[in-house]
Amino acid sequence: MATATARKPAKAAAKTNSRPATSVKGGKITYFFGKSKCDGKGDMKGLLGGKGANLAAMTRIGLPVPPGFTITTEVCTYYYDNGKRFPPNMAGDLAKAVVWLEKETGKKFGDPKNPLLVSVRSGSRDSMPGMMDTILNLGLNDATTDGLKAATNNGRFAWDSYRRFVQMYGDVVMGVQKRHENEHEPFDEVMDELKREVSALQDTDLNEGDLKELVRRYKALIKERTGKEFPADPVKQLEGAIGAVFGSWMNERAVLYRQKYRIPDDWGTAVNVQSMVFGNMGDDCATGVAFTRDPATGANVFYGEYLVNAQGEDVVAGVRTPNKISEMAKDPIIGPAFRELERVRKTLEKNFGDVQDFEFTIEKKKLFMLQTRNGKRTALAYVKIAHDMVKEKLMTPEHAIRSGDPEALNQLLQPIFDRDAYAAAKKEGRLMATGLPAGPGAASGAVVFTASKAEELAAKGQHVVLARIETSPEDLRGMIASDGILTCRGGVSSHAALVARQMGKVCVAGAGEIHIDYHTGKLTCGGITLKEGDPISINGSTGEVINGAIATADSELKQVLVGKTLKPADSPVFQYYNSLMKLADKYRKLGIRTNADQPDQVTNAVAFGAEGIGLCRTEHMFFEGDRIIAVRQMILADNEVDRKGALALLLPHQQKDFEGIFRALNGLPACIRLLDPPLHEFLPQHDNEKGQKEVATQLKTTVEKVMQRVNELHEFNPMLGFRGCRLGIKFPEISEMQARAIFQAAAAVLKEGIKVKPEIMIPLVGFKKELDLQVEIVHRVAGEVMKETGKKFPYSVGTMIEVPRGALTADEIAETAEFFSFGTNDLTQTCLGMSRDDSGSFLPSYQSSEIIKTNPFASIDTTGVGQLMKIGVEKGRKTNPDLKIGICGEHGGDPSSVVFCHTIGLNYVSCSPFRVPIARLAAAQAALKDAK
Ligand code: ADP
Ligand code: MG
Ligand code: MG
């Protein structure tokens, strides 16, 4: 993407950086973690990055962590603020830190007899899996490799470590990488060729001599590609590696990732320099990754993988197929280490209060911990783990709320396969293969083999399943575009699985029976061959891959809450969800309402936890059935009498609608907005002569008359035109009819013994007098209806604040209004002078040029629109302290906007029915932020 690479990181960071650029100078640059000294702590993630802070935390609780030190994120920020230069005290502090580490380990950097070897690892505040590059075995050169061989009496190991180092350094620091998507990794290619020459099946089959040869060829490859020699001096190596880690903060993958997850560029990454432990010294060594619980389902089982005689990323990269962690117990050599791992699993959950995703290495039967972090999980796992761990008293309820991603709750509403269609497909023999269930849910779509194809088809609105032999960070865009991800290689901790879980994508990983040939563009399995574009279905909950498309069905949650086809007691998912929602309700201060115009929508929203309607748009009711005829009659009427006649026809329909809504609400409040859109929206326009003719026939008038009225109603700027309360000001009889319909419905439903709470909302008010005129009508009609029906019903009248003048004169308006509701869609349009429907042509450029951070129509522009809201709240409550204030724009369901609404003291947010759970969780998080 041109925009990502074209950005000027140093400048951008400088502008938004809140820390002074000089803050590092003379300050503390390195934080040690080791037995003799541990400077860092678990809560220092901002400064030390997540990895560094947790390495310190693990060291503090006595877990076996190889010692090392962390270079702070401030150095990274400094580096980008100062034209990619290190702070002046960097070199000195680094040298001191190395001396400390040498003492701590009893080894020496560059010492051929007993060389200190380190890893150089990136680590930002939030983990960015696979985004930044790690270098292992740094400190090796020809001399120290011989030293390592002598010290360990293991030549194969020494040279294997060396070749890995040259490979990683060549790739990450010197930039020897594949040049396009379907090229093989250049170092892998060199290794594969050597393997062929010596008939080695796996990398472990290469002997010391082979590995020596491999190092020679790797160095030659580096020289050929870069024209430079591989550096032998460990200090040079260290400096190069540290620079590369900082450099990788701005690589395209990292930038893209941060954009997706809204991580600010100026957070920077820390660098961890850590003494090496080795999982590749022989069969009494291993390396692995594990989760303290299953991150896909949330089940309380030890979950993970390991490889014997391997190092670093081997497990994740799918070099060999890893073993399940549970199998380790049976391993005759490293079995005992498993028992220690089990203990660590408990210790971690207890100390960190959440599911941990950790990395370990076993060196000569001894366990070492290399990383831990809160495990990324699916929404399903999130609700189950929160439910279980809070119950087990391992997790605080506050953390259960805080750690959730409100937006991700959408996953719980995603479709699953239709049970019957799925069974039928299997009966027909369409089951192709079974891989690992790595991201639950159902995905069905066209199979594609490259990220670019996935993006291309998705842009056309197609559902796609991205199938790769294995994925790498380069595939990220394609993964974002796909409904599902399928890989042939790699385990539950592979890149594909990790990313899928995080993004909530359906994923089947490591379906080994499937073969993909990128060159011919074909996927084969048994006798079946699929080419790009053919339909395929994957079941991320079972790992099954099925030939062809399969119909999908509602999620369990929807079956319980919407379809009511599943009993709550029969759905564990519902119970976990429900316990979390109840917890959220305990913390949140904001009320949650819904935007709904129909009884069934109301029922759904209430099932999801809505406490009333925040916006009922009456115009939607105007289109239903043949009532549009009466609406058009009203619009075409030449005089008040005709207009009233037409409105009288509409009245019973509107009343029925409101009755349905009041019944569905069963006593909850209903904020009903009077007619808002410009009238032309109800007539066929110029480009629809046929429609105009139909209307003429329907209304027994001439086409000319219809056309004339369409012309009269034509506006250059309908958004700023004859709409909102302006309609009711010019045609009071419209407001009168609507008020009557609402109140008659209220009286009728009240008669049935159901409570009602209508709130009549006048749209687009900018002047107090506008509201006064409309309120007068509402009160008059209310009095009339009460008299006519003999029923007393409660009601209130308020206004939408959706033009800047309304917000700025809120004190005046609040003298009349009993409530405000921020119509943030229009308020954004009018504040920014930007039409939502026309902004598509320039908004993306605005975002890539960083004029705006996020789409203001999706997330409240807090500094602009937000100010108007604050003014509205303050001024409004000044004259009317009891003023109830809500929001009913699209933003009411956006988590960060919900937090903002809480901050400025709104009483409730209102959002679409299916976003109610999201708003509930976001509101609880907002309240907890306050409490902190
Ligand atoms: P990432 O952030 O991509 O997970 P890491 O910094 O965790 O990268 O390192 C990649 C791999 O290298 C991990 O498997 C990690 O356990 C391993 N590793 C890192 N440092 C060391 C070390 N000092 N000794 C042994 N293995 C290490
Ligand atoms: Mg790691
Ligand atoms: Mg509006």
Side-chain angles (χ1 to χ4, degrees):
M1 187 177 63
T3 49
T5 43
R7 297 189 331 157
K8 294 202 185 63
K11 263 204 196 145
K15 247 182 269 160
T16 50
N17 182 21
S18 50
R19 289 183 295 262
T22 50
S23 70
V24 152
K25 268 191 199 156
K28 199 169 161 62
I29 284 181
T30 51
Y31 283 68
F32 300 140
F33 53 90
K35 279 217 175 71
S36 74
K37 195 170 179 190
C38 188
D39 299 329
K41 267 195 193 142
D43 60 6
M44 293 168 74
K45 295 195 171 62
L47 186 65
L48 303 181
K51 201 179 284 169
N54 279 351
L55 283 169
M58 285 197 293
T59 305
R60 277 174 186 270
I61 57 177
L63 289 175
V65 177
F69 57 88
T70 304
I71 302 168
T72 70
T73 55
E74 283 179 350
V75 178
C76 182
T77 313
Y78 180 98
Y79 178 80
Y80 280 110
D81 284 350
N82 292 276
K84 300 198 182 181
R85 262 190 303 272
F86 290 115
N89 54 333
M90 174 82 169
D93 283 16
L94 192 58
K96 272 186 224 151
V98 169
V99 169
W100 175 82
L101 191 55
E102 287 175 339
K103 262 205 206 122
E104 188 77 7
T105 56
K107 297 176 181 175
K108 262 206 150 66
F109 225 19
D111 179 358
K113 287 213 191 71
N114 188 16
L116 168 64
L117 303 179
V118 297
S119 62
V120 176
R121 322 170 62 187
S122 64
S124 64
R125 195 181 302 196
D126 273 359
S127 71
M128 294 171 53
M131 291 295 116
M132 315 289 286
D133 300 300
T134 292
I135 293 157
L136 301 177
N137 311 334
L138 188 141
L140 284 176
N141 52 33
D142 295 355
T144 51
T145 301
D146 281 337
L148 185 64
K149 174 179 171 176
T152 58
N153 204 7
N154 189 340
R156 190 198 175 275
F157 154 72
W159 283 91
D160 185 48
S161 303
Y162 192 19
R163 72 93 186 157
R164 286 166 189 270
F165 173 50
V166 176
Q167 176 174 353
M168 282 182 269
Y169 200 90
D171 173 354
V172 176
V173 183
M174 304 186 77
V176 179
Q177 288 156 1
K178 62 178 178 178
R179 288 165 288 200
H180 57 80
E181 199 169 18
N182 286 335
E183 196 180 70
H184 289 280
E185 296 289 349
F187 288 104
D188 283 353
E189 213 150 55
V190 172
M191 163 142 35
D192 284 346
E193 190 169 326
L194 185 75
K195 269 163 67 184
R196 263 196 304 277
E197 284 170 29
V198 302
S199 315
L201 281 178
Q202 298 191 319
D203 59 320
T204 39
D205 297 332
L206 297 174
N207 63 28
E208 182 182 348
D210 299 333
L211 292 165
K212 251 187 197 168
E213 172 60 17
L214 194 54
V215 167
R216 197 191 59 77
R217 291 189 192 182
Y218 278 173
K219 285 184 178 169
L221 172 70
I222 292 172
K223 182 78 201 262
E224 178 206 316
R225 284 275 191 101
T226 67
K228 286 185 204 139
E229 294 292 340
F230 180 81
D233 176 4
V235 175
K236 283 254 158 57
Q237 292 173 353
L238 185 60
E239 283 168 4
I242 292 170
V245 172
F246 286 147
S248 71
W249 178 250
M250 281 297 170
N251 75 28
E252 199 189 325
R253 267 150 40 195
V255 171
L256 180 73
Y257 184 92
R258 287 199 295 276
Q259 274 171 355
K260 181 160 169 59
Y261 292 97
R262 296 190 191 173
I263 297 173
D265 279 348
D266 63 0
W267 276 8
T269 180
V271 184
N272 299 289
V273 177
Q274 186 177 25
S275 53
M276 287 299 304
V277 288
F278 297 97
N280 55 334
M281 282 176 132
D283 288 343
D284 54 355
C285 300
T287 181
V289 296
F291 284 79
T292 56
R293 296 182 193 216
D294 185 331
T297 65
N300 188 0
V301 292
F302 202 3
Y303 182 95
E305 297 167 325
Y306 74 100
L307 272 175
V308 168
N309 198 11
Q311 189 176 42
E313 306 276 59
D314 288 5
V315 178
V316 183
V319 184
R320 279 177 276 150
T321 306
N323 310 311
K324 282 208 177 106
I325 197 97
S326 51
E327 285 160 25
M328 194 193 279
K330 289 174 250 154
D331 189 300
I333 309 173
I334 55 172
F338 180 72
R339 278 188 286 283
E340 209 185 326
L341 263 185
E342 278 277 21
R343 272 197 300 278
V344 165
R345 178 184 169 213
K346 296 219 166 69
T347 309
L348 286 175
E349 283 202 346
K350 213 171 138 217
N351 279 279
F352 288 87
D354 198 351
V355 164
Q356 295 298 294
D357 161 5
F358 65 96
E359 300 177 352
F360 63 91
T361 281
I362 295 167
E363 180 183 301
K364 302 206 162 197
K365 301 185 194 173
K366 183 167 167 25
L367 175 70
F368 289 95
M369 295 296 291
L370 290 166
Q371 185 176 337
T372 192
R373 60 186 173 210
N374 291 344
K376 294 255 157 68
R377 64 206 72 177
T378 62
L380 172 62
Y382 164 61
V383 292
K384 171 154 174 65
I385 288 167
H387 169 269
D388 292 355
M389 285 186 79
V390 169
K391 221 172 169 180
E392 294 157 21
K393 297 224 167 3
L394 285 169
M395 183 188 277
T396 63
E398 287 84 2
H399 180 81
I401 295 297
R402 273 201 191 105
S403 59
D405 171 8
E407 197 65 49
L409 291 177
N410 260 335
Q411 286 172 35
L412 298 176
L413 301 175
Q414 271 167 14
I416 53 182
F417 283 121
D418 175 82
R419 218 173 283 196
D420 296 337
Y422 197 70
K426 282 171 89 172
K427 226 176 175 180
E428 287 159 21
R430 283 159 57 195
L431 177 65
M432 294 169 73
T434 304
L436 298 162
S444 192
V447 67
V448 296
F449 305 118
T450 60
S452 43
K453 192 77 186 178
E455 281 194 293
E456 182 194 321
L457 294 191
K460 289 187 192 147
Q462 284 198 47
H463 294 281
V464 295
V465 172
L466 176 65
R468 299 279 299 168
I469 297 171
E470 56 199 302
T471 63
S472 71
E474 282 97 334
D475 296 320
L476 199 61
R477 295 161 189 295
M479 298 170 86
I480 292 171
S482 308
D483 289 46
I485 300 152
L486 168 66
T487 64
C488 317
R489 276 216 292 260
V492 290
S493 44
S494 63
H495 177 263
L498 216 79
V499 175
R501 270 198 298 275
Q502 189 174 5
M503 298 200 295
K505 294 273 173 187
V506 178
C507 178
V508 172
E513 300 126 280
I514 289 178
H515 296 277
I516 297 173
D517 188 332
Y518 293 139
H519 293 292
T520 59
K522 281 192 181 125
L523 179 157
T524 50
C525 183
I528 302 166
T529 301
L530 299 182
K531 48 185 193 331
E532 205 152 53
D534 286 346
I536 196 169
S537 302
I538 59 172
N539 185 341
S541 312
T542 62
E544 288 166 325
V545 182
I546 285 162
N547 184 9
I550 299 180
T552 50
D554 273 346
S555 70
E556 230 176 276
L557 214 55
K558 276 195 182 171
Q559 289 183 29
V560 173
L561 291 171
V562 179
K564 310 230 163 32
T565 47
L566 191 62
K567 284 202 208 89
D570 293 338
S571 168
V573 179
F574 169 77
Q575 284 160 31
Y576 305 140
Y577 154 86
N578 202 36
S579 93
L580 184 88
M581 283 292 117
K582 280 193 181 145
L583 197 57
D585 291 348
K586 241 174 64 187
Y587 290 105
R588 72 179 160 86
K589 303 255 162 59
L590 277 171
I592 310 289
R593 294 197 188 187
T594 190
N595 299 351
D597 314 327
Q598 289 165 12
D600 59 326
Q601 293 171 358
V602 176
T603 308
N604 290 346
V606 171
F608 281 117
E611 299 156 317
I613 294 182
L615 175 64
C616 174
R617 302 175 175 90
T618 49
E619 58 270 15
H620 285 191
M621 306 168 169
F622 279 26
F623 283 99
E624 233 165 77
D626 42 357
R627 46 185 96 160
I628 185 70
I629 299 175
V631 174
R632 287 168 176 165
Q633 256 169 16
M634 169 196 74
I635 296 171
L636 289 186
D638 293 322
N639 54 62
E640 197 186 319
V641 177
D642 285 359
R643 201 159 33 242
K644 278 194 168 160
L647 284 165
L649 294 175
L650 271 175
L651 177 73
H653 293 297
Q654 283 245 295
Q655 182 178 333
K656 270 235 169 61
D657 289 333
F658 293 131
E659 285 175 16
I661 283 172
F662 289 142
R663 283 191 200 103
L665 280 169
N666 196 20
L668 296 172
C671 187
I672 302 166
R673 178 180 71 185
L674 300 190
L675 192 64
D676 181 58
L679 295 179
H680 72 81
E681 285 189 11
F682 299 100
L683 289 178
Q685 294 302 294
H686 297 282
D687 53 356
N688 187 359
E689 234 170 272
K690 194 168 153 256
Q692 293 184 346
K693 267 191 200 129
E694 273 170 25
V695 170
T697 323
Q698 272 174 354
L699 303 186
K700 303 192 179 60
T701 179
T702 61
V703 183
E704 287 72 31
K705 175 92 192 289
V706 176
M707 274 161 61
Q708 185 202 337
R709 193 75 183 109
V710 168
N711 280 337
E712 283 165 10
L713 290 173
H714 173 78
E715 291 177 314
F716 291 104
N717 253 321
M719 183 195 100
L720 302 175
F722 185 28
R723 53 168 294 213
C725 66
R726 297 158 197 175
L727 295 166
I729 303 275
K730 190 163 166 191
F731 304 127
E733 50 278 13
I734 297 181
S735 307
E736 188 171 331
M737 180 281 285
Q738 290 202 293
R740 182 163 277 279
I742 294 167
F743 292 137
Q744 289 185 1
V749 172
L750 199 61
K751 260 187 202 148
E752 297 166 14
I754 299 169
K755 284 203 177 119
V756 290
K757 269 192 204 156
E759 301 171 348
I760 286 92
M761 181 155 74
I762 313 296
L764 215 74
V765 166
F767 299 85
K768 174 176 183 287
K769 189 68 192 275
E770 287 174 322
L771 183 62
D772 288 345
L773 290 173
Q774 293 292 293
V775 168
E776 215 178 277
I777 297 172
V778 175
H779 284 324
R780 176 170 52 76
V781 174
E784 286 167 12
V785 175
M786 286 192 202
K787 219 184 209 164
E788 288 158 20
T789 59
K791 281 275 158 200
K792 266 207 152 50
F793 41 82
Y795 74 96
S796 59
V797 199
T799 181
M800 253 167 119
I801 299 291
E802 51 185 336
V803 293
R805 196 178 196 286
L808 296 172
T809 60
D811 45 351
E812 293 173 16
I813 292 173
E815 284 171 6
T816 307
E818 292 169 79
F819 64 84
F820 282 174
S821 178
F822 286 105
T824 44
N825 297 343
D826 273 317
L827 193 59
T828 302
Q829 299 199 93
T830 50
C831 175
L832 273 63
M834 221 181 245
S835 142
R836 176 176 58 176
D837 305 319
D838 299 321
S839 59
S841 52
F842 57 88
L843 262 193
S845 335
Y846 268 50
Q847 270 175 282
S848 59
S849 330
E850 293 190 334
I851 295 171
I852 50 168
K853 281 226 164 97
T854 50
N855 181 345
F857 296 105
S859 200
I860 290 176
D861 157 40
T862 50
T863 41
V865 177
Q867 267 199 66
L868 284 175
M869 293 173 73
K870 271 192 213 159
I871 293 170
V873 171
E874 276 161 29
K875 288 198 155 184
R877 291 219 172 107
K878 202 145 115 209
T879 45
N880 181 358
D882 298 329
L883 193 70
K884 187 163 57 179
I885 310 179
I887 175 179
C888 60
E890 226 56 55
H891 305 89
D894 165 62
S896 61
S897 306
V898 171
V899 173
F900 179 74
C901 290
H902 170 94
T903 316
I904 62 169
L906 297 202
N907 298 91
Y908 69 84
V909 296
S910 186
C911 58
S912 63
F914 292 110
R915 295 195 71 84
V916 167
I918 295 171
R920 281 165 87 182
L921 181 56
Q925 291 181 342
L928 280 174
K929 249 185 206 164
D930 252 12
K932 232 176 163 182

